[in-house]
């Protein structure tokens, strides 16, 4: 069974303007600590893991309080650029959460992609501070990061971090930066490199998936099964990359929204790995997200 993740975007504030940003952050909006505590209460029985994200969650003044509360019942992850992480934060967080750092290249490659001079240096400083804290490094597989994969794996080994290579999904700010998208040949090469490393049981993970005939019978082994997202405005979505709004926590309880969502065609199909929707004639077999998932109708009556 896949772990069930609820990602809570606690703030729309962000110091970066990453070229791949699904939410085109920064943008207005923030959830209060009280709202997040209500969400956590409603999340019992529906989710195993809580992701506190943004924007940049370390810009929220109540982040650590949220971590302390969430860690009482859930495995907690915090996604961060590393900018704004301090020793004071880490002393309070301790081992209550897994820090998930975003890395988009080595040195200036990372800085240009993030739109912040010195972002790579700040990230390395944060990784050093968090040497003894549970952590992961997330790498989005955009065109210019692909030649640096070996260097990134070595960097993560030195910092005692798992490294997770994520497929780039062409939503949000990617639409304004189509030049960052790798072509099929690059994705084939990366898949052949990363898939064996994932199976070896080392520090390398990846959700890069290529549709094959097996998926038409068994369904895709989706990382997003049981996953939902809440925006800083309170909208509940199937995941951070999906446009559909399933409801809003300011109008209905999270539990009611999830129960209704499970009845929709989109969520039903997703939990089955899109077994009946998988097609082998997709132009890019790595783009099942937008070619299959995003094209399934979703009942948005809870909006």
């Amino acid at each position: 069974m896949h772990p069930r993740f609820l990602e809570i975007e606690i703030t729309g504030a962000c110091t970066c303007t990453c070229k791949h940003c699904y939410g085109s952050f920064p943008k207005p909006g923030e959830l209060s600590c009280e709202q997040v505590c209500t969400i956590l209460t409603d999340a019992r029985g529906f989710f195993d893991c809580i992701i506190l994200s943004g924007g940049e969650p370390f810009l929220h003044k109540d982040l650590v309080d949220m971590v302390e509360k969430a860690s009482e019942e859930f495995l907690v992850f915090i996604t961060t650029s590393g900018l704004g992480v301090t020793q004071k934060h880490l002393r309070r967080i301790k081992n209550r959460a897994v820090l998930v750092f975003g890395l988009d290249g080595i040195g200036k490659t990372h800085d240009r992609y993030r739109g912040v001079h010195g972002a790579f240096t700040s990230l390395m400083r944060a990784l050093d501070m968090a040497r003894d804290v549970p952590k992961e490094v997330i790498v989005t597989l955009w065109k210019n990061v692909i030649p640096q994969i070996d260097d990134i794996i070595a960097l993560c080994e030195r910092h005692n971090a798992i490294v997770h290579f994520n497929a780039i999904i062409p939503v949000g700010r990617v639409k304004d930066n189509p030049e960052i998208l790798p072509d099929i040949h690059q994705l084939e090469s990366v898949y052949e490199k990363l898939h064996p490393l994932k199976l070896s049981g080392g520090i390398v993970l990846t959700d890069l998936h290529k549709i094959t005939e097996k998926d038409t019978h068994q369904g895709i082994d989706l990382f997003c099964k049981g996953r939902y997202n809440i925006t800083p405005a309170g909208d509940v979505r199937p995941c951070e990359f999906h446009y559909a709004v399933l409801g809003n926590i300011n109008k209905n309880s999270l539990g009611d929204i999830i129960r209704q969502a499970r009845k929709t065609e989109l969520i039903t199909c997703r939990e089955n790995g899109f077994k009946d929707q998988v097609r082998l004639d997709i132009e890019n077999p790595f783009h099942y997200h937008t070619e299959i998932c995003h094209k399934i109708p979703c009942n948005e009556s809870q909006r």
Side-chain angles (χ1 to χ4, degrees), residues 2-261:
H2 288 255
R4 300 167 298 175
F5 284 88
L6 174 64
E7 178 175 9
I8 309 172
E9 297 172 1
I10 62 174
T11 180
C14 192
T15 52
C16 298
T17 55
C18 306
K19 292 182 183 295
H20 74 288
C21 183
Y22 66 85
S24 300
F25 294 104
K27 62 185 180 183
E30 181 173 280
L31 295 174
S32 68
C33 192
E34 181 181 5
Q35 284 177 300
V36 171
C37 287
T38 299
I39 290 169
L40 295 173
T41 298
D42 291 344
R44 293 172 183 157
F46 291 102
F47 299 99
D48 311 298
C49 308
I50 298 294
I51 304 171
L52 298 175
S53 71
E56 173 51 64
F58 278 93
L59 295 177
H60 197 300
K61 64 181 180 62
D62 295 323
L63 169 64
V64 179
D65 292 333
M66 295 174 185
V67 171
E68 291 175 345
K69 179 66 176 177
S71 63
E72 294 174 3
E73 299 186 63
F74 303 94
L75 178 60
V76 182
F77 297 80
I78 307 171
T79 63
T80 178
S81 65
L83 296 167
V85 178
T86 66
Q87 289 284 10
K88 182 178 180 181
H89 285 128
L90 297 180
R91 281 195 297 270
R92 285 191 62 191
I93 291 171
K94 298 179 181 177
N95 291 321
R96 292 188 175 95
V98 178
L99 295 182
V100 183
F101 294 96
L103 174 62
D104 298 305
I106 302 295
K108 292 181 179 180
T109 301
H110 178 80
D111 287 5
R112 286 193 295 267
Y113 191 83
R114 292 258 157 179
V116 177
H117 177 70
F120 182 79
T121 299
S122 295
L123 174 57
M124 293 303 101
R125 187 182 304 117
L127 281 170
D128 287 337
M129 285 193 294
R131 180 165 293 279
D132 298 322
V133 176
K135 59 188 169 296
E136 296 181 15
V137 170
I138 294 288
V139 181
T140 299
L141 290 166
W142 68 290
K143 182 174 290 187
N144 289 359
V145 83
I146 290 175
Q148 300 179 341
I149 285 176
D150 289 335
D151 290 336
I152 288 172
I153 293 173
L155 182 154
C156 292
E157 288 175 338
R158 293 196 300 271
H159 287 87
N160 192 30
I162 292 171
V163 56
H164 196 145
F165 292 94
N166 279 356
I168 190 167
I169 300 175
V171 298
R173 198 173 283 131
V174 178
K175 294 179 180 179
D176 299 322
N177 298 285
E179 73 281 357
I180 71 174
L181 290 169
D183 60 35
I184 295 178
H185 301 295
Q186 288 174 305
L187 291 174
E188 290 277 6
S189 175
V190 172
Y191 183 78
E192 291 176 6
K193 181 185 190 70
L194 294 180
H195 192 61
L197 292 175
K198 175 184 177 181
L199 296 178
S200 71
I203 68 166
V204 176
L205 299 174
T206 182
D207 67 11
L208 182 65
H209 181 82
K210 178 183 178 182
I211 289 177
T212 64
E213 187 174 354
K214 180 184 70 174
D215 297 320
T216 64
H217 304 293
Q218 300 178 9
I220 304 169
D221 186 24
L222 295 167
F223 76 96
C224 56
K225 286 183 178 180
R227 185 179 182 117
Y228 293 84
N229 165 272
I230 301 178
T231 72
D235 287 334
V236 180
R237 301 184 299 178
C239 76
E240 63 270 33
F241 299 103
H242 207 290
Y243 66 90
V245 177
L246 303 167
N248 188 287
I249 60 164
N250 298 310
K251 298 178 181 178
N252 301 95
S253 73
L254 176 63
D256 287 344
I257 293 170
I258 299 301
R259 279 187 284 269
Q260 284 295 112

